[in-house]
Amino acid sequence: MQWTKVLGLGLGAAAFLGLGIILGHFAIPKEASVSAPQDLDLQILETVMGQLSASRIRDNLRELSRDPHLATSPRDEDLVQLLLQRWRDPESGLDSAEASKYEVLLSFPSQEQPNLVHVVGPTGDIIYSCRQTEENLTGEQGGPDVVQPYAAYAPPGTPQGLLVYANRGSEEDFKELQTQGINLEGTIALTRYGGVGRGAKAVNAAKHGVAGVLVYTDPADINDGLSSSSETFPNSWYLPPSGVERGSYYEYFGDPLTPYLPAIPSSFRLDLANVSGFPPIPTQPIGFQDARDLLCNLSGTLAPTTWQGALGCSYRLGPGFRPDGGFPADSQVNVSVHNRLELRNSSNVLGIIRGAVEPDRYVLYGNHRDSWVHGAVDPSSGTAVLLELSRVLGTLLKKGTWRPRRSIVFASWGAEEFGLIGSTEFTEEFFNKLQERTVAYINVDISVFANATLRVQGTPPVQSVVFSATKEIRSPGPGDLSIYDNWIRYFNRSSPVYGLVPSLGSLGAGSDYAPFIHFLGISSMDLAYTYDRSKTSARIYPTYHTAFDTFDYVDKFLDPGFSSHQAVAQTAGSVILRLSDSFFLPLNVSDYSETLRSFLQAAQQELEALLEQHSISLGPLVTAVEKFDAEAAALGEHISTLQKGSPDPLQVRMLNDQLMLLERTFLNPRAFPEERYYSHVLWAPRTGSVATFPGLSNACSRARDTAPGSEAWAEVQRQISIVVMALEGAAATLRPVADL
């Protein structure tokens, strides 16, 4: 009995210790102190670069994409155990690894009542049926675990009506149909992917009385116009005619029932009747093979030139089918959706390497695990890189030859495909700790779209560390270019400070970086290899979210030899080591000055005259930008001076905190009350046409046609004040810490 008690106490203590590590309560090792001079070890960096193996990444991908792994499915949980096994390996594992569960609301099609789309004749008989599943071309599209194509979170219903073609389903597209004299009440709208978000298509349609929505991928947007079976997978990388893009149609991100709260047992949950963000009307995706049969038989006015696609016919608007087509003229389309909502347990997996000197500063590296079907590209190409990178670092750790200065946290997020759920719940649960302690977040979702060049999205301070990393790594392919030099050939911009440099894209909400940048204000980046835009017009890689996204698809068409996967692993690995090991954090806050000046210039050129008519001055904004410039430059000079000497490590720690916390100063949770989670005043969604500060651009767009003195113009003034205060706060953060 005494041994039982001792064992129980031991297990309890171990569990408590594991939880403490996950929460960030790292103990500083006795042999280290904050005064330790540890800095980036170039020899270790070179070792890591040399040990990252393309063949191991290939093996990882084969295993990860072997079976479909929809969020919370048995195979998804199998992969949770695979990650835990790898990260607990005695020879290549990390300091700790734990899985945590959240009970979240997901949406699935009914197995008993599959979703159906029919053309129904005048007497109610079914005269045409769209495919329920994709064609089984490689033996991988017909298994029992392949989920039927569906629009996640679309409500059940069986609307029936005349068909209309609504282009991409934007608000402007539906207004154009009404301008053409088309009565949209009770119709079924056929829309194509792109232009606006998935859920927005149904929202916009419902505003105009549409009863149901169909969505398809046009070959013009993803296949460079090619649409015949002989030109598509498995004969090329293009999408077969039966391919259907699945996806979440939820407007927000995170668990729908617990906004701003983690989906744990103690949290308040909304009643389903009070949940917002779901599509208001039944919605179903179809393949372009079926879309061709519907669209090419439509009657009515010829669609505008910009609405035409590559289905091999002239697109018309409807409503209804033409008399000389394949269906009787008065036939209607019936959409039967039987989706159901379910509470499911979804897992995040965290693997941690404890920092030797600053264990309370975290470098986070994340990738989601769940896929719609096999998900070889999305997200398993990223997970394959994640596993290889953690293996190499874990091996060095277990050998005792390396431990980072700061802690490194590897994360495998659950249920991303349903709306960034795992990462959002994590940021909600550990909001304060992450805001106080996270240096940066690195996201590698799809690591390889194609094998032409690196593509990086990120906030301006991460530019310098990515540039430093990519200049030292050889680019895949012929020649002897660095990844940096190859990158600059494909995506570049002219910088007034640096000259011609690779261009970084901005971060929207397409992957798990979204809650980190928009909600927490953490400097973030997203890394991937992608295609040559001059050679393809593809919106995204063609088999995206379909059952054709398989290992062979990657192995044969996207990255034979896996050298691009290796390049992403090396880039991410170099960035992680530079952020975790460098004495001075390699975040260049002065690079924000270019962004701020470009935003200011756009406002001055395109809005200043209009604002002056309403007695609104941009003067305070000009002053705030200049003040930020001056403080950023002064801090840069201070850093240069310290780097030339032997600075007090505590002084460097304070300086690093200034660099780390800068991004937080741009948060204002009251700036955009209509936008859930978006509080970053520089990177919130911009709906206005002027490429300036998003709040200002959006407010001016809404106020433009209103009377002087209106509430809309008052909102313009408020948005200017919000940006000014954010910039003032940023400048104050960059000043010497003793100065208030």
Side-chain angles (χ1 to χ4, degrees), residues 645-675:
S646 300
D648 180 349
L650 284 175
Q651 191 176 16
V652 176
R653 163 87 169 199
M654 288 188 293
L655 184 151
N656 284 340
D657 281 356
Q658 290 175 273
L659 303 179
M660 179 182 76
L661 295 173
L662 172 67
E663 205 75 58
R664 322 290 199 266
T665 65
F666 296 118
L667 297 184
N668 186 327
R670 295 178 177 83
F672 316 107
E674 73 285 0
E675 297 281 4

CSV table of all heavy atoms in Angstrom, one decimal, residues 645-675:
chain,number,residue,atom,x,y,z
A,645,GLY,N,30.7,46.2,-28.3
A,645,GLY,CA,31.4,46.1,-27.0
A,645,GLY,C,31.0,44.8,-26.3
A,645,GLY,O,30.8,43.8,-26.9
A,646,SER,N,31.1,44.8,-25.0
A,646,SER,CA,30.8,43.7,-24.1
A,646,SER,C,29.6,44.1,-23.2
A,646,SER,O,29.9,44.4,-22.0
A,646,SER,CB,32.0,43.2,-23.3
A,646,SER,OG,33.1,42.9,-24.2
A,647,PRO,N,28.4,44.1,-23.7
A,647,PRO,CA,27.3,44.7,-23.0
A,647,PRO,C,26.9,43.8,-21.8
A,647,PRO,O,27.1,42.6,-21.8
A,647,PRO,CB,26.2,44.8,-24.0
A,647,PRO,CG,26.5,43.7,-25.0
A,647,PRO,CD,28.0,43.6,-25.1
A,648,ASP,N,26.3,44.4,-20.8
A,648,ASP,CA,25.7,43.7,-19.7
A,648,ASP,C,24.5,42.9,-20.2
A,648,ASP,O,23.6,43.4,-20.9
A,648,ASP,CB,25.2,44.7,-18.7
A,648,ASP,CG,24.5,44.1,-17.5
A,648,ASP,OD1,24.2,42.9,-17.5
A,648,ASP,OD2,24.2,44.8,-16.5
A,649,PRO,N,24.5,41.6,-20.0
A,649,PRO,CA,23.4,40.7,-20.5
A,649,PRO,C,22.0,41.2,-20.1
A,649,PRO,O,21.1,41.0,-20.8
A,649,PRO,CB,23.7,39.3,-20.0
A,649,PRO,CG,25.2,39.3,-19.8
A,649,PRO,CD,25.6,40.7,-19.4
A,650,LEU,N,21.9,41.8,-18.9
A,650,LEU,CA,20.6,42.3,-18.5
A,650,LEU,C,20.2,43.5,-19.3
A,650,LEU,O,19.0,43.6,-19.6
A,650,LEU,CB,20.6,42.7,-17.0
A,650,LEU,CG,20.6,41.5,-16.0
A,650,LEU,CD1,20.7,42.0,-14.6
A,650,LEU,CD2,19.3,40.7,-16.1
A,651,GLN,N,21.1,44.3,-19.8
A,651,GLN,CA,20.8,45.4,-20.6
A,651,GLN,C,20.4,44.9,-22.0
A,651,GLN,O,19.4,45.4,-22.6
A,651,GLN,CB,22.1,46.2,-20.8
A,651,GLN,CG,21.9,47.6,-21.5
A,651,GLN,CD,23.1,48.4,-21.5
A,651,GLN,OE1,24.2,47.9,-21.3
A,651,GLN,NE2,23.0,49.7,-21.8
A,652,VAL,N,21.0,43.8,-22.5
A,652,VAL,CA,20.6,43.2,-23.8
A,652,VAL,C,19.2,42.6,-23.6
A,652,VAL,O,18.4,42.7,-24.5
A,652,VAL,CB,21.6,42.1,-24.2
A,652,VAL,CG1,21.1,41.5,-25.5
A,652,VAL,CG2,23.0,42.8,-24.5
A,653,ARG,N,19.0,42.0,-22.5
A,653,ARG,CA,17.6,41.4,-22.2
A,653,ARG,C,16.5,42.4,-22.3
A,653,ARG,O,15.5,42.2,-22.9
A,653,ARG,CB,17.6,40.7,-20.9
A,653,ARG,CG,16.3,40.4,-20.3
A,653,ARG,CD,15.8,39.0,-20.7
A,653,ARG,NE,14.6,38.7,-19.9
A,653,ARG,CZ,14.1,37.5,-19.8
A,653,ARG,NH1,14.6,36.5,-20.4
A,653,ARG,NH2,13.0,37.3,-19.0
A,654,MET,N,16.8,43.6,-21.7
A,654,MET,CA,15.8,44.7,-21.8
A,654,MET,C,15.6,45.1,-23.2
A,654,MET,O,14.5,45.4,-23.6
A,654,MET,CB,16.2,45.8,-20.9
A,654,MET,CG,16.1,45.5,-19.4
A,654,MET,SD,16.4,47.0,-18.3
A,654,MET,CE,18.2,47.3,-18.7
A,655,LEU,N,16.7,45.3,-23.9
A,655,LEU,CA,16.6,45.7,-25.3
A,655,LEU,C,15.8,44.7,-26.2
A,655,LEU,O,15.0,45.0,-27.0
A,655,LEU,CB,18.0,45.9,-25.9
A,655,LEU,CG,18.2,46.4,-27.3
A,655,LEU,CD1,19.5,47.2,-27.4
A,655,LEU,CD2,18.1,45.3,-28.3
A,656,ASN,N,16.1,43.4,-25.9
A,656,ASN,CA,15.4,42.3,-26.7
A,656,ASN,C,13.9,42.4,-26.4
A,656,ASN,O,13.1,42.1,-27.3
A,656,ASN,CB,16.0,41.0,-26.3
A,656,ASN,CG,17.3,40.7,-27.0
A,656,ASN,OD1,17.6,41.3,-28.0
A,656,ASN,ND2,18.0,39.7,-26.4
A,657,ASP,N,13.5,42.7,-25.1
A,657,ASP,CA,12.1,42.8,-24.8
A,657,ASP,C,11.5,44.0,-25.6
A,657,ASP,O,10.3,43.9,-26.0
A,657,ASP,CB,11.9,43.0,-23.3
A,657,ASP,CG,12.1,41.7,-22.5
A,657,ASP,OD1,12.2,40.7,-23.2
A,657,ASP,OD2,12.0,41.8,-21.3
A,658,GLN,N,12.2,45.0,-25.8
A,658,GLN,CA,11.7,46.1,-26.6
A,658,GLN,C,11.3,45.6,-28.0
A,658,GLN,O,10.3,46.0,-28.6
A,658,GLN,CB,12.7,47.3,-26.7
A,658,GLN,CG,12.8,48.1,-25.4
A,658,GLN,CD,13.9,49.1,-25.5
A,658,GLN,OE1,15.1,48.8,-25.3
A,658,GLN,NE2,13.5,50.3,-25.8
A,659,LEU,N,12.3,44.9,-28.6
A,659,LEU,CA,12.1,44.3,-29.9
A,659,LEU,C,10.9,43.4,-30.0
A,659,LEU,O,10.1,43.4,-30.9
A,659,LEU,CB,13.3,43.6,-30.4
A,659,LEU,CG,14.6,44.4,-30.4
A,659,LEU,CD1,15.8,43.6,-30.9
A,659,LEU,CD2,14.5,45.7,-31.3
A,660,MET,N,10.8,42.5,-28.9
A,660,MET,CA,9.8,41.5,-28.9
A,660,MET,C,8.4,42.1,-28.7
A,660,MET,O,7.4,41.7,-29.3
A,660,MET,CB,10.1,40.6,-27.7
A,660,MET,CG,9.0,39.5,-27.5
A,660,MET,SD,9.4,38.4,-26.1
A,660,MET,CE,8.9,39.5,-24.7
A,661,LEU,N,8.3,43.2,-27.9
A,661,LEU,CA,7.0,43.7,-27.5
A,661,LEU,C,6.5,44.8,-28.5
A,661,LEU,O,5.4,45.2,-28.4
A,661,LEU,CB,7.1,44.4,-26.1
A,661,LEU,CG,7.3,43.3,-25.0
A,661,LEU,CD1,7.6,44.1,-23.7
A,661,LEU,CD2,6.2,42.4,-24.9
A,662,LEU,N,7.3,45.2,-29.5
A,662,LEU,CA,6.9,46.2,-30.4
A,662,LEU,C,5.6,45.9,-31.1
A,662,LEU,O,4.7,46.7,-31.2
A,662,LEU,CB,8.0,46.5,-31.5
A,662,LEU,CG,7.5,47.4,-32.6
A,662,LEU,CD1,7.3,48.8,-32.1
A,662,LEU,CD2,8.5,47.4,-33.8
A,663,GLU,N,5.5,44.6,-31.6
A,663,GLU,CA,4.3,44.2,-32.3
A,663,GLU,C,3.0,44.4,-31.5
A,663,GLU,O,1.9,44.7,-32.0
A,663,GLU,CB,4.4,42.8,-32.8
A,663,GLU,CG,3.6,42.5,-34.0
A,663,GLU,CD,4.2,43.0,-35.3
A,663,GLU,OE1,5.3,42.7,-35.6
A,663,GLU,OE2,3.4,43.8,-36.0
A,664,ARG,N,3.1,44.2,-30.1
A,664,ARG,CA,2.0,44.3,-29.3
A,664,ARG,C,1.4,45.7,-29.2
A,664,ARG,O,0.2,45.9,-29.0
A,664,ARG,CB,2.3,43.9,-27.8
A,664,ARG,CG,3.2,42.7,-27.6
A,664,ARG,CD,2.7,41.3,-28.0
A,664,ARG,NE,3.6,40.3,-27.3
A,664,ARG,CZ,4.6,39.7,-27.9
A,664,ARG,NH1,5.0,40.0,-29.1
A,664,ARG,NH2,5.3,38.8,-27.2
A,665,THR,N,2.3,46.7,-29.5
A,665,THR,CA,1.8,48.1,-29.3
A,665,THR,C,0.8,48.5,-30.4
A,665,THR,O,0.1,49.5,-30.3
A,665,THR,CB,3.0,49.0,-29.4
A,665,THR,OG1,3.6,49.0,-30.7
A,665,THR,CG2,4.0,48.7,-28.3
A,666,PHE,N,0.7,47.7,-31.5
A,666,PHE,CA,-0.2,48.0,-32.6
A,666,PHE,C,-1.6,47.3,-32.4
A,666,PHE,O,-2.4,47.4,-33.2
A,666,PHE,CB,0.4,47.5,-33.9
A,666,PHE,CG,1.6,48.2,-34.3
A,666,PHE,CD1,2.8,47.5,-34.5
A,666,PHE,CD2,1.6,49.6,-34.5
A,666,PHE,CE1,4.0,48.2,-34.8
A,666,PHE,CE2,2.8,50.3,-34.9
A,666,PHE,CZ,4.0,49.6,-35.0
A,667,LEU,N,-1.8,46.7,-31.2
A,667,LEU,CA,-3.1,46.1,-30.9
A,667,LEU,C,-4.0,47.1,-30.3
A,667,LEU,O,-3.6,47.9,-29.4
A,667,LEU,CB,-2.9,44.9,-30.0
A,667,LEU,CG,-2.1,43.7,-30.4
A,667,LEU,CD1,-2.2,42.6,-29.4
A,667,LEU,CD2,-2.6,43.2,-31.7
A,668,ASN,N,-5.2,47.1,-30.7
A,668,ASN,CA,-6.3,47.9,-30.1
A,668,ASN,C,-7.6,47.1,-30.2
A,668,ASN,O,-8.2,47.1,-31.2
A,668,ASN,CB,-6.5,49.3,-30.7
A,668,ASN,CG,-7.5,50.1,-30.0
A,668,ASN,OD1,-8.4,49.6,-29.4
A,668,ASN,ND2,-7.2,51.4,-30.0
A,669,PRO,N,-8.0,46.4,-29.1
A,669,PRO,CA,-9.1,45.5,-29.2
A,669,PRO,C,-10.5,46.2,-29.5
A,669,PRO,O,-11.5,45.5,-29.8
A,669,PRO,CB,-9.2,44.8,-27.9
A,669,PRO,CG,-8.3,45.6,-27.0
A,669,PRO,CD,-7.3,46.3,-27.8
A,670,ARG,N,-10.5,47.5,-29.4
A,670,ARG,CA,-11.7,48.3,-29.6
A,670,ARG,C,-11.7,49.0,-31.0
A,670,ARG,O,-12.6,49.7,-31.3
A,670,ARG,CB,-12.0,49.3,-28.5
A,670,ARG,CG,-12.2,48.6,-27.2
A,670,ARG,CD,-12.4,49.7,-26.1
A,670,ARG,NE,-12.8,49.0,-24.8
A,670,ARG,CZ,-11.9,48.5,-24.0
A,670,ARG,NH1,-10.6,48.6,-24.2
A,670,ARG,NH2,-12.3,48.0,-22.8
A,671,ALA,N,-10.6,48.8,-31.7
A,671,ALA,CA,-10.5,49.5,-33.0
A,671,ALA,C,-11.5,49.0,-34.0
A,671,ALA,O,-12.1,49.8,-34.8
A,671,ALA,CB,-9.1,49.3,-33.6
A,672,PHE,N,-11.8,47.7,-34.1
A,672,PHE,CA,-12.7,47.1,-35.1
A,672,PHE,C,-13.7,46.3,-34.4
A,672,PHE,O,-13.6,45.0,-34.4
A,672,PHE,CB,-11.9,46.3,-36.1
A,672,PHE,CG,-10.6,47.0,-36.5
A,672,PHE,CD1,-9.4,46.5,-36.1
A,672,PHE,CD2,-10.7,48.1,-37.4
A,672,PHE,CE1,-8.2,47.1,-36.5
A,672,PHE,CE2,-9.5,48.7,-37.8
A,672,PHE,CZ,-8.3,48.2,-37.4
A,673,PRO,N,-14.7,46.9,-33.7
A,673,PRO,CA,-15.7,46.1,-32.9
A,673,PRO,C,-16.4,45.1,-33.8
A,673,PRO,O,-16.9,44.1,-33.3
A,673,PRO,CB,-16.6,47.1,-32.3
A,673,PRO,CG,-16.4,48.3,-33.1
A,673,PRO,CD,-15.0,48.3,-33.6
A,674,GLU,N,-16.5,45.3,-35.1
A,674,GLU,CA,-17.3,44.4,-36.0
A,674,GLU,C,-16.4,43.2,-36.4
A,674,GLU,O,-17.0,42.3,-37.0
A,674,GLU,CB,-17.8,45.2,-37.2
A,674,GLU,CG,-16.7,45.5,-38.2
A,674,GLU,CD,-15.8,46.7,-37.9
A,674,GLU,OE1,-16.0,47.3,-36.8
A,674,GLU,OE2,-14.9,47.0,-38.7
A,675,GLU,N,-15.1,43.2,-36.1
A,675,GLU,CA,-14.2,42.2,-36.5
A,675,GLU,C,-13.8,41.3,-35.4
A,675,GLU,O,-13.1,41.8,-34.5
A,675,GLU,CB,-13.0,42.8,-37.2
A,675,GLU,CG,-13.3,43.5,-38.5
A,675,GLU,CD,-13.6,42.6,-39.7
A,675,GLU,OE1,-13.5,41.4,-39.5
A,675,GLU,OE2,-13.8,43.2,-40.8
